[in-house]
Amino acid sequence: MPRQPQQSTELRARGLLLDMDGTLVNSDAVVERCWRRWADKHNLDQEHVLSVVHGRQGHTTMAALLPHRPMAENYAENALLLAEETADTEGVVPIDGAPAFLAALQGRPHALVTSASTDLVAARMGAAGLPLPPHRVTAESVSASKPDPEGFLKGAAALGLTPQECVVFEDAEVGIAAARSAGMRVVGVGARAVAQPATVHVPSLDHVEVAFTEDGGFVLTVRS
């Protein structure tokens, strides 16, 4: 069969808000190792646990999977799990195209908006060899985890922009839902995003070309 031509979409924005895990960094190997152990500890199906975990803060995953357990126990156990995840960087690599994509954004308005903690961000971005964006909204910055829009709204505010002026890059169901709830357009990155209602989807960041307008705005050419 002849190869289908790629479709191209142009998005214009004043600022970009970027998720980390699954969007800039492939940390699936670590996530699976840690959460499979956690699933076994609690006699839960590993695959079901992994279907829930992506994009959320750990304590919210635990609350969803162990609904009758006091939240204080979830916070306590999540602190231990975060320490495990932060110490384990084996197999953490950049998403295809992430180094060039972030290099193109240097000096331009962009922010990281992630459910990861500050220490986990430093560990994974460092392991992947990626620069830290100047503005970061981490787990410590918000009162509610994705799919709540708080993180993305704070990211826009940090850039001095309205939600409508921003484009979000996300891979997870809860992250895409959070961005849409914030009133933002979303580029869904990778296989997890395909079934989600993003504005446009890309297999990886090497399908995104970044250019700029004369007044400093972004022109994104997205090849799906």
Side-chain angles (χ1 to χ4, degrees):
M1 290 181 62
R3 201 172 188 178
Q4 293 296 318
Q6 289 184 329
Q7 294 185 333
S8 180
T9 301
E10 182 179 282
L11 298 174
R12 291 176 178 256
R14 302 294 304 175
L16 305 184
L17 303 177
L18 316 173
D19 174 52
M20 182 180 72
D21 292 301
T23 302
L24 298 174
V25 171
N26 183 344
S27 56
D28 285 357
V30 178
V31 171
E32 290 201 9
R33 279 195 295 273
C34 292
W35 282 94
R36 285 185 188 279
R37 288 197 298 266
W38 183 88
D40 288 345
K41 176 181 175 182
H42 293 281
N43 296 313
L44 296 172
D45 179 75
Q46 291 184 359
E47 300 308 319
H48 178 60
V49 169
L50 292 176
S51 75
V52 175
V53 68
H54 294 289
R56 304 174 188 266
Q57 292 186 36
H59 64 83
T60 63
T61 296
M62 293 174 184
L65 294 166
L66 300 172
H68 302 298
R69 190 166 80 159
M71 278 304 297
E73 293 185 30
N74 295 331
Y75 284 115
E77 190 172 30
N78 185 51
L80 298 174
L81 191 62
L82 266 176
E84 287 182 33
E85 290 191 81
T86 302
D88 183 357
T89 56
E90 184 179 351
V92 174
V93 295
I95 293 291
D96 288 347
F101 178 72
L102 285 174
L105 305 189
Q106 294 306 300
R108 307 284 181 164
H110 67 289
L112 191 73
V113 181
T114 174
S115 294
S117 67
T118 299
D119 288 346
L120 189 57
V121 166
R124 288 186 177 168
M125 293 290 281
L130 297 175
L132 287 172
H135 301 281
R136 299 182 287 278
V137 179
T138 63
E140 297 92 340
S141 309
V142 297
S143 61
S145 178
K146 300 171 185 177
D148 191 282
E150 180 185 1
F152 286 120
L153 293 173
K154 284 192 169 182
L159 300 179
L161 300 173
T162 68
Q164 293 72 30
E165 291 177 307
C166 297
V167 167
V168 170
F169 284 75
E170 257 286 1
D171 74 301
E173 177 181 4
V174 293
I176 291 171
R180 286 173 56 86
S181 293
M184 300 175 182
R185 293 161 292 162
V186 191
V187 178
V189 180
R192 274 192 292 269
V194 170
Q196 307 307 321
T199 307
V200 64
H201 297 86
V202 293
S204 60
L205 292 173
D206 53 10
H207 287 247
V208 181
E209 296 176 9
V210 182
F212 305 98
T213 60
E214 290 185 2
D215 62 355
F218 291 94
V219 181
L220 305 172
T221 302
V222 181
R223 294 175 282 108
S224 55

